[in-house]
Amino acid sequence: MSNLPLLSLLIWVPIVGAVPVLLAGAGRPNAARWLALLVSVAAFVLSLLALPAYDAASPAMQLVENHPWIETLRVNYHLGADGISLALILLTTFTTILVVVGAWEVIQDKVHQYMAAMLVLEGLMVGVFCAMDALLFYVFFEGMLIPMFIIIGMWGGPRRVYATLKFFIYTFLGSIFMLVGLIYLYFKAGTFDLATLASLPLGMREQTWLFFAFLIAFAIKVPMVPVHTWLPDAHVEAPTGGSVVLAAVMLKVGGYGFLRFSLPIVPDASQAYAWVVIALSLIAIVYIGYVALVQEDMKKLIAYSSVAHMGFVTLGTFIAFALVREANDVQMAKLGMQGAMVQMISHGFVSGAMFTCIGVMYDRLHTRMIKDYGGLVNVMPWFAAFMVLFAMANCGLPGTSGFVGEFMVILASFAANAWIALFAAFTLIIGAGYTLWLVKRVIWGDVANPHVAEMKDINAREAFVLGAFALAVLALGVWPWPLTHLMDASIGQLVEKLVVTKV
């Protein structure tokens, strides 16, 4: 087990596995489906094997692989995982299985290409979460755009070309700033190795420029206000599987980037300008919540909800900087960062489940407009039960995963500033407003549309997908300890670095 290159296998099993899926061709869609499922299950099993091989008590990078890649530039194929990486890898492999199963009957055109694109995307996302070389990280970071571009562009809605171009331009232009920053660091250090870059002595002026270069790249990926406008369009036009992966995993790359680059490499600038990110996070939490409240398209509503909930991720991360800088409160700083990570994982489950629910309705009625529904509980009681559960999690109901991360972040925010905590907690009211307003109009009441009266309840395949999401939401809500324990040492090390380097 210790000699098994688990991280490489997690990256390359899906990517290489996409080849036979693609070779199945258009004439054998069932073969493509079963091959894709087999590969995604294999990747999930490999991610589970990484758990016993990982020592959660140690903050060090583990499962390390380091091989020369571009020797003339001193670039290595360097992989490693800590508790944060491992949690996100598990989220990725878990979600991919559900996306493959969810698309089983929904995707009928070019099935082999769709499944292959999903597997390649899975491998690239795993690569982002375990790359320990900055250039390797950038390759995976940019590579993710290609399969998602294809997924939205080929299987998306009527305005898919516009949505894919907007998605690509936003994320690609943002990452150029990061690339310029990485090149500057390379000329300073002579290497792209992240551990070396983190120990590089940088002046405040250098850190400031690098901080904003990273901020632009990762803020677009999260996305943060005001660079969030690509997300609703991408979600509305993407097929259900594309929306699930985009919300559940791809958005997390931005939050992960802050932890891997901003915090270790430019800690002084991150502390000095934490207020910028905190302010943008609060705007996202409050303002975007109101924007979600007036949406008539269900996908747009949940897309804006994602922006608001991801605001908790950036708030929890950077409130830790403020706590160390102003109050030297290490425990609360750790709580805030831990809450941000729990919120990332929780949002992956809840948003993935909500987009799956919308996909179930769309497959039957071929509309996402709220006004076209109503009274679904009368004809789809099992589906209604699942959707109400996920809606409650989206509101942050205690006992669901949505509560845990938000509560931890609010508690840490209160230690920093009561006004910040008040604005952060306000999202619980707004979130309940737009989520319950959605449920009231879609699930409850009498059946007003004759087409709704003809809708069939969920089948076994859909029940499996929604049941898996429900189990994850409830398990994390009732017993978050396994996740927090997995990440505890890694987050503790990050916070200790803030203490050592605080100005």
Side-chain angles (χ1 to χ4, degrees):
M1 177 80 68
S2 60
N3 296 324
L4 196 66
L6 281 173
L7 298 182
S8 284
L9 288 172
L10 280 164
I11 294 169
W12 295 107
V13 163
I15 294 174
V16 175
V19 175
V21 173
L22 197 59
L23 292 176
R28 291 177 291 179
N30 279 332
R33 293 184 182 104
W34 282 107
L35 280 169
L37 180 60
L38 180 64
V39 172
S40 60
V41 169
F44 181 61
V45 170
L46 286 169
S47 65
L48 292 178
L49 290 175
L51 285 174
Y54 179 80
D55 179 12
S58 170
M61 286 291 169
Q62 300 175 46
L63 308 173
V64 174
E65 302 171 38
N66 196 358
H67 309 285
W69 180 30
I70 309 174
E71 293 192 57
T72 53
L73 297 178
R74 295 180 62 191
V75 178
N76 289 345
Y77 176 78
H78 188 186
L79 305 176
D82 61 1
I84 297 169
S85 305
L86 200 52
L88 291 167
I89 289 170
L90 285 164
L91 174 65
T92 304
T93 57
F94 173 79
T95 303
T96 304
I97 293 178
L98 301 185
V99 167
V100 169
V101 175
W104 204 268
E105 297 170 2
V106 176
I107 301 297
Q108 296 292 332
D109 183 39
K110 300 182 180 69
V111 175
H112 61 300
Q113 295 178 10
Y114 177 88
M115 294 297 183
M118 277 295 177
L119 291 176
V120 171
L121 180 58
E122 178 186 16
L124 294 172
M125 290 188 298
V126 171
V128 165
F129 295 134
C130 58
M132 290 295 101
D133 182 276
L135 187 61
L136 184 64
F137 175 92
Y138 183 80
V139 169
F140 286 129
F141 187 84
E142 291 293 82
M144 290 189 308
L145 300 181
I146 300 170
M148 183 54 76
F149 183 91
I150 293 170
I151 289 165
I152 300 175
M154 290 185 64
W155 293 276
R159 298 177 71 242
R160 60 184 179 272
V161 175
Y162 167 78
T164 49
L165 288 175
K166 189 173 183 181
F167 159 71
F168 189 88
I169 289 169
Y170 263 73
T171 51
F172 182 73
L173 285 179
S175 60
I176 287 175
F177 290 91
M178 179 176 68
L179 179 61
V180 172
L182 294 180
I183 292 171
Y184 176 82
L185 288 169
Y186 172 77
F187 281 106
K188 290 280 289 187
T191 179
F192 284 105
D193 181 69
L194 282 178
T196 304
L197 298 183
S199 61
L200 195 65
L202 296 169
M204 191 60 186
R205 185 175 180 181
E206 292 172 300
Q207 287 199 34
T208 299
W209 284 106
L210 288 166
F211 170 79
F212 283 104
F214 294 147
L215 176 61
I216 293 169
F218 299 133
I220 291 173
K221 210 74 168 182
V222 167
M224 296 175 65
V225 175
V227 288
H228 66 285
T229 57
W230 64 269
L231 184 66
D233 292 315
H235 271 309
V236 167
E237 300 304 322
T240 299
S243 288
V244 171
V245 172
L246 184 60
V249 185
M250 286 190 72
L251 301 189
K252 312 305 177 288
V253 173
Y256 179 78
F258 284 126
L259 297 176
R260 279 288 172 263
F261 287 83
S262 300
L263 195 157
I265 297 174
V266 289
D268 293 339
S270 296
Q271 289 182 351
Y273 296 101
W275 64 270
V276 175
V277 182
I278 291 170
L280 292 175
S281 301
L282 292 175
I283 291 171
I285 289 169
V286 178
Y287 164 67
I288 297 298
Y290 279 116
V291 174
L293 195 59
V294 298
Q295 299 304 312
E296 290 299 324
D297 184 307
M298 287 186 286
K299 260 198 170 183
K300 269 199 172 180
L301 189 152
I302 301 303
Y304 280 114
S305 170
S306 290
V307 178
H309 283 98
M310 287 301 289
F312 268 94
V313 174
T314 49
L315 175 62
T317 301
F318 281 85
I319 207 72
F321 290 93
L323 283 164
V324 171
R325 181 184 175 88
E326 303 297 337
N328 199 29
D329 194 337
V330 175
Q331 286 305 314
M332 279 298 170
K334 187 177 175 181
L335 182 70
M337 203 170 287
Q338 217 166 30
M341 277 304 306
V342 172
Q343 176 69 0
M344 272 212 271
I345 303 300
S346 168
H347 179 261
F349 296 145
V350 176
S351 64
M354 290 296 289
F355 279 116
T356 302
C357 287
I358 294 169
V360 168
M361 290 185 281
Y362 183 82
D363 293 339
R364 286 157 172 76
L365 208 58
H366 301 292
T367 175
R368 292 184 300 267
M369 303 307 292
I370 298 172
K371 63 181 177 60
D372 295 328
Y373 292 89
L376 278 183
V377 69
N378 299 294
V379 294
M380 300 177 70
W382 282 105
F383 170 79
F386 278 118
M387 186 163 179
V388 169
L389 168 64
F390 299 133
M392 294 300 101
N394 203 50
C395 294
L397 184 74
T400 66
S401 63
F403 172 77
V404 181
E406 290 183 2
F407 181 72
M408 292 167 79
V409 172
I410 291 170
L411 202 60
S413 300
F414 192 85
N417 187 293
W419 286 105
I420 293 176
L422 178 64
F423 277 103
F426 195 59
T427 193
L428 300 175
I429 301 171
I430 306 172
Y434 61 69
T435 307
L436 296 178
W437 183 228
L438 170 68
V439 169
K440 177 186 180 297
R441 290 178 288 173
V442 172
I443 300 297
W444 306 123
D446 298 325
V447 177
N449 185 338
H451 297 293
V452 171
E454 299 171 1
M455 292 173 68
K456 303 293 184 184
D457 210 346
I458 53 176
N459 56 36
R461 174 185 57 83
E462 293 164 335
F464 171 79
V465 175
L466 293 175
F469 274 127
L471 187 63
V473 166
L474 291 173
L476 183 55
V478 173
W479 195 37
W481 179 85
L483 177 60
T484 55
H485 175 67
L486 178 67
M487 302 183 298
D488 188 63
S490 303
I491 290 174
Q493 185 185 50
L494 290 173
V495 174
E496 286 301 323
K497 183 173 178 63
L498 294 182
V499 175
V500 171
T501 59
K502 75 170 184 173
V503 293

